[in-house]
Amino acid sequence: MQASRAFSVRDAIASGVTRGELRGGAWCAPAHGIRVTGSLGDTAADFAEAVRAAAGPDQFFSHLTAARIHGMPLPARLADDRRIHVASPTGRSRMVRPGVVGHRLKSEVIEVDGLRVEALPDAFVHLATILTVDELVAVGDWLVCRDRRQALSVEDLRDAIRRYDGARGLVRARRAVALVRVGAESPQETATRLLLVRGGLPEPVLQHEAFDERGTFVGRLDLAWPALRLAVEYDGEGHFTSHEQGERDIARLRELERLGWTVIRITRRDLRDGGARVLAHIARVHARLSAR
């Protein structure tokens, strides 16, 4: 399938396209003064390409649009929000177009796949005007995850908050960054950790590595209290990617049990009611093991 490309009307005419051709069925107009040609796939991606073509050389993507370009984990409730966030430097005019949210920002700008986008710490701060505290913590955990090629530090996020002193959303951003931890590998793991801590349990160790008597690595545990040999594992959808992987996981759990570990496995279903039932169960097990 031919990829769609966006042009300003002025550039298209300069390249030899007539106004009659621009009004033909081979072109669509997702924004005033912009035409997209080629086979249209994801309409949001096509619209973003159109906005990119319309943007000035000093404008860039921000907020939710920057988060999507960077691949940040966003809540499902925002899946249908396809507005494009475009920012101009402070002192310049905001972009005003249907379907576009214009901003004036002093962000650091980087290039991602040929697109001008605000840098990761700046996007984190600006998401505080859109996300809840817990949703923002999930983004923060993703940003500082060691498995990411360009992982940030919690201090990087604090520095960004300080740079935007007086901006909207900073109270929420500060509350979120205080809860960000290195080690969570999914938004569900973040939600589980927050549930446990807010439920009065001591903060668990993330991605704890367990070894047997000979020092052989047995496995990593999502959330653990090593002194109690108690762990909580979040099993996401598609946890078992193959029959062989499932068998290895069962063998790992048996070995952990032999070593004295109690492993509580939870799923998305356990979090649907706010996690009250599974929290009570984990708290009971934690209290029992603590009393030994």
Side-chain angles (χ1 to χ4, degrees):
M1 180 179 289
Q2 180 187 1
S4 58
R5 296 185 62 195
F7 303 88
S8 68
V9 170
R10 179 183 301 173
D11 288 346
I13 291 173
S15 69
V17 180
T18 68
R19 292 189 179 276
E21 288 172 328
L22 289 173
R23 289 192 291 270
W27 300 76
C28 70
H32 178 71
I34 297 298
R35 297 295 183 270
V36 175
T37 184
S39 299
L40 297 181
D42 185 324
T43 56
D46 289 326
F47 185 67
E49 169 65 11
V51 171
R52 184 201 62 77
D58 58 351
Q59 292 177 316
F60 53 93
F61 293 110
S62 67
H63 293 71
L64 281 180
T65 307
R68 289 185 171 119
I69 292 170
H70 286 303
M72 294 178 179
L74 296 173
R77 67 180 180 83
L78 295 174
D80 294 331
D81 186 344
R82 291 301 181 180
R83 295 173 299 170
I84 305 297
H85 291 259
V86 179
S88 306
T90 54
R92 302 294 297 275
S93 298
R94 295 185 180 93
M95 179 180 282
V96 179
R97 289 182 183 277
V100 172
V101 183
H103 304 275
R104 282 198 296 265
L105 302 172
K106 55 180 179 181
S107 304
E108 177 188 353
V109 179
I110 63 174
E111 190 169 292
V112 178
D113 296 331
L115 301 173
R116 286 171 51 80
V117 187
E118 67 177 342
L120 291 165
D122 301 80
F124 174 82
V125 173
H126 294 138
L127 285 175
T129 64
I130 300 169
L131 304 185
T132 66
V133 169
D134 286 10
E135 291 165 349
L136 196 58
V137 175
V139 171
D141 281 0
W142 179 84
L143 288 169
V144 302
C145 180
R146 292 192 188 98
D147 290 343
R148 289 190 61 252
R149 189 170 54 184
Q150 297 177 321
L152 302 180
S153 68
V154 174
E155 193 57 33
D156 289 331
L157 302 181
R158 292 197 182 103
D159 285 343
I161 291 171
R162 285 191 284 267
R163 288 200 306 274
Y164 285 97
D165 186 39
R168 291 177 55 230
L170 288 192
V171 171
R172 188 176 300 171
R174 291 189 186 101
R175 288 178 58 196
V177 81
L179 295 169
V180 169
R181 299 290 184 272
V182 175
E185 295 185 342
S186 72
Q188 291 76 27
E189 286 184 24
T190 296
T192 302
R193 173 173 63 85
L194 295 176
L195 171 71
L196 297 173
V197 174
R198 288 173 179 159
L201 290 167
E203 185 151 340
V205 175
L206 303 183
Q207 305 305 322
H208 175 71
E209 295 186 344
F211 299 85
D212 66 13
E213 305 91 338
R214 299 183 299 276
T216 302
F217 176 73
V218 177
R220 284 196 309 166
L221 298 160
D222 295 341
L223 307 105
W225 294 274
L228 302 179
R229 297 215 168 192
L230 172 62
V232 175
E233 292 265 85
Y234 182 88
D235 292 345
E237 295 177 11
H239 177 71
F240 297 129
T241 56
S242 67
H243 178 70
E244 291 77 11
Q245 192 271 333
E247 288 186 337
R248 287 194 300 271
D249 200 61
I250 290 171
R252 178 182 71 98
L253 289 172
R254 286 175 179 167
E255 179 65 0
L256 287 167
E257 289 173 0
R258 185 190 71 78
L259 294 170
W261 281 90
T262 300
V263 180
I264 301 172
R265 304 177 74 170
I266 68 173
T267 66
R268 182 185 295 270
R269 182 185 297 271
D270 292 307
L271 301 179
R272 285 179 182 168
D273 64 347
R277 291 184 182 181
V278 73
L279 173 61
H281 172 62
I282 295 169
R284 284 193 298 269
V285 176
H286 189 281
R288 175 171 56 81
L289 294 175
S290 298
R292 288 192 308 192

